[in-house]
Amino acid sequence: MAAPFALRELFVELNDLKRVHSAGRIGSIAERLFAQGWSALTGGVDPETVAIDITAKALAASRLCDLDAAFLASAGLAEAEIGDVLTSGLDAVTATVDPELKRRMAVALRSNEVLHGGPLPAFVAALSRQPRAGVTCPGKPRILLEPPENHAEHCLMVAVYGVVLSPFYRADPTLVFLAAMSHHFHNAAMPDAGFTGEMLLGDHLAPIMARTTQWALDELDAPLRETIERARAILPDDATAEGRAFHAADCIDRVLQISQHLRAASLTMDTVLVEMELVHAGPVKGFHDRVLRDMRIP
């Protein structure tokens, strides 16, 4: 089965949620959605509701950034108007998304429901502070790309990709979401030395990962802890539909993260000025064009 190429452009765009920040808000959008998801889960919200809600918010934010429900409400929009704006953001990027999943996400955005939040486990902040290793290969020096993503951002992105991929793989999106949100539990305590460091640990790797994973799991109360443990059972391989959706999402995110750096490094002024219309249409565009021409910019 060929992977769903039609979703590629959406995933490229979504990946930038790791890099969007706003005044008065700590962390990237991806980092904050990771925390929102865990707060809702510890607060007792049904995991399926959390998976759809967080994924819907992420897709809408790919165009709206932090023009979210909280901001729109503070700016005076009524509930119906907020729903209109958020679903317009969702509609702008979901032409290739499964129609039933899209419908469910639109319902979630229009409900404008504030999910009840519980206490944030310590691993949420720890994963937000833990940088990813960069590009590593045993026997070779690592390649570091600045700024690095953190593990909270990676887990959130894999969770969102996994939900969007689930209809294609006929997987349970909730199971994929929970597995992705927890798949780097060990890195809350374990610094990320990448593939290189893991190979150098040798026989010590598995017990260290098991021990540090358990530290994170122990921060969760039952029955949520058992629910997460069941979801994590899909992580070792691609033998299940959920495993395939998760591993596809994980692989895509790891490579798109590097692709973003390469894309920025190869950006041309023609793309900026012609394709993206940096100096865009308006009453003073003619004047702007003359100034740039006279100043020989670019």
Side-chain angles (χ1 to χ4, degrees), residues 15-158:
N15 204 265
D16 280 335
L17 294 183
K18 300 175 186 175
R19 291 166 281 276
V20 178
H21 295 250
S22 295
R25 304 191 185 197
I26 298 173
S28 67
I29 290 178
E31 187 176 328
R32 285 182 270 117
L33 286 175
F34 181 74
Q36 285 181 40
W38 277 112
S39 177
L41 289 168
T42 64
V45 179
D46 176 63
E48 183 177 5
T49 299
V50 178
I52 297 299
D53 179 82
I54 294 297
T55 303
K57 288 175 178 174
L59 266 64
S62 65
R63 292 289 170 89
L64 289 167
C65 297
D66 270 321
L67 300 177
D68 58 10
F71 168 78
L72 296 172
S74 71
L77 270 64
E79 185 172 325
E81 295 170 324
I82 293 172
D84 288 342
V85 172
L86 296 179
T87 53
S88 71
L90 182 72
D91 289 342
V93 297
T94 49
T96 57
V97 172
D98 175 77
E100 175 58 19
L101 175 61
K102 178 180 177 179
R103 183 196 67 77
R104 294 178 67 192
M105 290 192 291
V107 170
L109 291 176
R110 284 200 174 276
S111 73
N112 202 22
E113 178 185 359
V114 178
L115 301 185
H116 175 68
L120 278 180
F123 63 71
V124 173
L127 289 169
S128 295
R129 291 192 298 265
Q130 191 75 274
R132 301 266 289 159
V135 182
T136 69
C137 180
K140 299 178 182 179
R142 74 183 60 247
I143 300 172
L144 289 175
L145 298 169
E146 296 290 339
E149 64 178 325
N150 62 52
H151 279 274
E153 292 167 331
H154 169 66
C155 288
L156 182 283
M157 200 55 56
V158 175

Side-chain angles (χ1 to χ4, degrees), residues 35 49 74 124 144 178 185 198 203-204 210 212 214 227 231 237-238 267 272 283:
T49 299
S74 71
V124 173
L144 289 175
L178 295 177
F185 265 4
E198 291 177 354
D203 292 341
H204 300 298
T212 51
Q214 192 61 51
T227 299
D237 54 49
D238 62 355
L267 186 65
V272 171

Side-chain angles (χ1 to χ4, degrees), residues 217-237:
L217 285 167
D218 287 344
E219 295 181 36
L220 301 174
D221 293 331
L224 177 58
R225 182 175 61 253
E226 287 79 9
T227 299
I228 298 301
E229 287 176 326
R230 286 193 296 273
R232 286 176 54 85
I234 73 167
L235 296 177
D237 54 49

